[in-house]
PDB file of all heavy atoms in Angstrom:
ATOM      1  N   ALA A 311      52.167-114.362  46.452  1.00 96.00           N
ATOM      2  CA  ALA A 311      53.453-113.694  46.697  1.00 96.00           C
ATOM      3  C   ALA A 311      53.239-112.392  47.461  1.00 96.00           C
ATOM      4  O   ALA A 311      54.006-112.055  48.380  1.00 96.00           O
ATOM      5  CB  ALA A 311      54.161-113.439  45.364  1.00 96.00           C
ATOM      6  N   MET A 312      52.169-111.671  47.110  1.00 96.00           N
ATOM      7  CA  MET A 312      51.893-110.413  47.816  1.00 96.00           C
ATOM      8  C   MET A 312      51.549-110.696  49.281  1.00 96.00           C
ATOM      9  O   MET A 312      52.025-110.002  50.186  1.00 96.00           O
ATOM     10  CB  MET A 312      50.738-109.679  47.134  1.00 96.00           C
ATOM     11  CG  MET A 312      50.471-108.301  47.729  1.00 96.00           C
ATOM     12  SD  MET A 312      49.253-107.366  46.776  1.00 96.00           S
ATOM     13  CE  MET A 312      49.117-105.885  47.787  1.00 96.00           C
ATOM     14  N   LEU A 313      50.756-111.737  49.524  1.00 95.00           N
ATOM     15  CA  LEU A 313      50.443-112.110  50.907  1.00 95.00           C
ATOM     16  C   LEU A 313      51.716-112.462  51.674  1.00 95.00           C
ATOM     17  O   LEU A 313      51.886-112.093  52.836  1.00 95.00           O
ATOM     18  CB  LEU A 313      49.509-113.318  50.939  1.00 95.00           C
ATOM     19  CG  LEU A 313      48.006-113.086  50.999  1.00 95.00           C
ATOM     20  CD1 LEU A 313      47.308-114.412  51.291  1.00 95.00           C
ATOM     21  CD2 LEU A 313      47.618-112.035  52.037  1.00 95.00           C
ATOM     22  N   ALA A 314      52.613-113.195  51.024  1.00 95.00           N
ATOM     23  CA  ALA A 314      53.849-113.623  51.696  1.00 95.00           C
ATOM     24  C   ALA A 314      54.744-112.439  52.045  1.00 95.00           C
ATOM     25  O   ALA A 314      55.516-112.507  52.993  1.00 95.00           O
ATOM     26  CB  ALA A 314      54.600-114.624  50.813  1.00 95.00           C
ATOM     27  N   ARG A 315      54.644-111.347  51.286  1.00 95.00           N
ATOM     28  CA  ARG A 315      55.428-110.141  51.599  1.00 95.00           C
ATOM     29  C   ARG A 315      54.746-109.297  52.670  1.00 95.00           C
ATOM     30  O   ARG A 315      55.327-108.348  53.182  1.00 95.00           O
ATOM     31  CB  ARG A 315      55.583-109.278  50.335  1.00 95.00           C
ATOM     32  CG  ARG A 315      56.523-109.830  49.286  1.00 95.00           C
ATOM     33  CD  ARG A 315      56.781-108.801  48.184  1.00 95.00           C
ATOM     34  NE  ARG A 315      55.573-108.404  47.467  1.00 95.00           N
ATOM     35  CZ  ARG A 315      55.126-108.978  46.350  1.00 95.00           C
ATOM     36  NH1 ARG A 315      55.795-109.994  45.811  1.00 95.00           N
ATOM     37  NH2 ARG A 315      54.026-108.546  45.777  1.00 95.00           N
ATOM     38  N   SER A 316      53.498-109.617  52.984  1.00 96.00           N
ATOM     39  CA  SER A 316      52.688-108.740  53.824  1.00 96.00           C
ATOM     40  C   SER A 316      52.955-108.967  55.313  1.00 96.00           C
ATOM     41  O   SER A 316      53.639-109.923  55.695  1.00 96.00           O
ATOM     42  CB  SER A 316      51.198-108.959  53.522  1.00 96.00           C
ATOM     43  OG  SER A 316      50.919-108.589  52.181  1.00 96.00           O
ATOM     44  N   SER A 317      52.416-108.086  56.134  1.00 95.00           N
ATOM     45  CA  SER A 317      52.646-108.153  57.583  1.00 95.00           C
ATOM     46  C   SER A 317      51.443-107.568  58.305  1.00 95.00           C
ATOM     47  O   SER A 317      50.606-106.904  57.701  1.00 95.00           O
ATOM     48  CB  SER A 317      53.910-107.369  57.954  1.00 95.00           C
ATOM     49  OG  SER A 317      53.801-106.034  57.489  1.00 95.00           O
ATOM     50  N   CYS A 318      51.373-107.852  59.613  1.00 95.00           N
ATOM     51  CA  CYS A 318      50.256-107.362  60.426  1.00 95.00           C
ATOM     52  C   CYS A 318      50.748-106.944  61.800  1.00 95.00           C
ATOM     53  O   CYS A 318      51.488-107.689  62.451  1.00 95.00           O
ATOM     54  CB  CYS A 318      49.200-108.467  60.557  1.00 95.00           C
ATOM     55  SG  CYS A 318      47.802-108.032  61.627  1.00 95.00           S
ATOM     56  N   ILE A 319      50.384-105.758  62.218  1.00 96.00           N
ATOM     57  CA  ILE A 319      50.547-105.353  63.617  1.00 96.00           C
ATOM     58  C   ILE A 319      49.176-105.465  64.268  1.00 96.00           C
ATOM     59  O   ILE A 319      48.242-104.747  63.905  1.00 96.00           O
ATOM     60  CB  ILE A 319      51.084-103.925  63.751  1.00 96.00           C
ATOM     61  CG1 ILE A 319      52.512-103.832  63.195  1.00 96.00           C
ATOM     62  CG2 ILE A 319      51.067-103.488  65.219  1.00 96.00           C
ATOM     63  CD1 ILE A 319      53.127-102.434  63.296  1.00 96.00           C
ATOM     64  N   SER A 320      49.054-106.394  65.199  1.00 96.00           N
ATOM     65  CA  SER A 320      47.823-106.563  65.955  1.00 96.00           C
ATOM     66  C   SER A 320      47.955-105.756  67.240  1.00 96.00           C
ATOM     67  O   SER A 320      48.836-106.028  68.056  1.00 96.00           O
ATOM     68  CB  SER A 320      47.635-108.053  66.259  1.00 96.00           C
ATOM     69  OG  SER A 320      46.793-108.223  67.377  1.00 96.00           O
ATOM     70  N   SER A 321      47.120-104.755  67.389  1.00 97.00           N
ATOM     71  CA  SER A 321      47.250-103.860  68.543  1.00 97.00           C
ATOM     72  C   SER A 321      46.056-104.019  69.479  1.00 97.00           C
ATOM     73  O   SER A 321      44.913-103.849  69.075  1.00 97.00           O
ATOM     74  CB  SER A 321      47.358-102.404  68.061  1.00 97.00           C
ATOM     75  OG  SER A 321      47.612-101.564  69.164  1.00 97.00           O
ATOM     76  N   ASP A 322      46.364-104.369  70.723  1.00 97.00           N
ATOM     77  CA  ASP A 322      45.329-104.569  71.733  1.00 97.00           C
ATOM     78  C   ASP A 322      45.943-104.198  73.078  1.00 97.00           C
ATOM     79  O   ASP A 322      47.132-104.444  73.308  1.00 97.00           O
ATOM     80  CB  ASP A 322      44.880-106.033  71.717  1.00 97.00           C
ATOM     81  CG  ASP A 322      43.526-106.235  72.394  1.00 97.00           C
ATOM     82  OD1 ASP A 322      42.984-105.278  72.965  1.00 97.00           O
ATOM     83  OD2 ASP A 322      43.031-107.380  72.353  1.00 97.00           O
ATOM     84  N   ALA A 323      45.154-103.626  73.956  1.00 97.00           N
ATOM     85  CA  ALA A 323      45.677-103.119  75.221  1.00 97.00           C
ATOM     86  C   ALA A 323      46.490-104.190  75.962  1.00 97.00           C
ATOM     87  O   ALA A 323      46.117-105.362  75.974  1.00 97.00           O
ATOM     88  CB  ALA A 323      44.530-102.647  76.099  1.00 97.00           C
ATOM     89  N   ALA A 324      47.606-103.760  76.577  1.00 96.00           N
ATOM     90  CA  ALA A 324      48.491-104.645  77.339  1.00 96.00           C
ATOM     91  C   ALA A 324      48.350-104.330  78.828  1.00 96.00           C
ATOM     92  O   ALA A 324      47.691-103.369  79.214  1.00 96.00           O
ATOM     93  CB  ALA A 324      49.937-104.438  76.883  1.00 96.00           C
ATOM     94  N   HIS A 325      48.985-105.159  79.664  1.00 96.00           N
ATOM     95  CA  HIS A 325      48.904-104.966  81.112  1.00 96.00           C
ATOM     96  C   HIS A 325      50.088-104.153  81.611  1.00 96.00           C
ATOM     97  O   HIS A 325      51.228-104.586  81.511  1.00 96.00           O
ATOM     98  CB  HIS A 325      48.902-106.311  81.837  1.00 96.00           C
ATOM     99  CG  HIS A 325      47.732-107.182  81.494  1.00 96.00           C
ATOM    100  ND1 HIS A 325      46.453-106.882  81.890  1.00 96.00           N
ATOM    101  CD2 HIS A 325      47.656-108.327  80.773  1.00 96.00           C
ATOM    102  CE1 HIS A 325      45.629-107.822  81.438  1.00 96.00           C
ATOM    103  NE2 HIS A 325      46.328-108.705  80.750  1.00 96.00           N
ATOM    104  N   SER A 326      49.795-102.977  82.163  1.00 97.00           N
ATOM    105  CA  SER A 326      50.817-102.258  82.917  1.00 97.00           C
ATOM    106  C   SER A 326      51.041-102.979  84.237  1.00 97.00           C
ATOM    107  O   SER A 326      50.189-103.730  84.701  1.00 97.00           O
ATOM    108  CB  SER A 326      50.338-100.832  83.183  1.00 97.00           C
ATOM    109  OG  SER A 326      51.240-100.166  84.041  1.00 97.00           O
ATOM    110  N   VAL A 327      52.211-102.765  84.853  1.00 96.00           N
ATOM    111  CA  VAL A 327      52.446-103.365  86.162  1.00 96.00           C
ATOM    112  C   VAL A 327      51.577-102.643  87.199  1.00 96.00           C
ATOM    113  O   VAL A 327      51.452-101.423  87.188  1.00 96.00           O
ATOM    114  CB  VAL A 327      53.944-103.334  86.531  1.00 96.00           C
ATOM    115  CG1 VAL A 327      54.431-101.909  86.774  1.00 96.00           C
ATOM    116  CG2 VAL A 327      54.219-104.217  87.729  1.00 96.00           C
TER     117      VAL A 327
END
Side-chain angles (χ1 to χ4, degrees):
M312 185 173 177
L313 267 191
R315 288 189 299 268
S316 296
S317 56
C318 176
I319 294 180
S320 157
S321 186
D322 199 354
H325 298 290
S326 173
V327 68

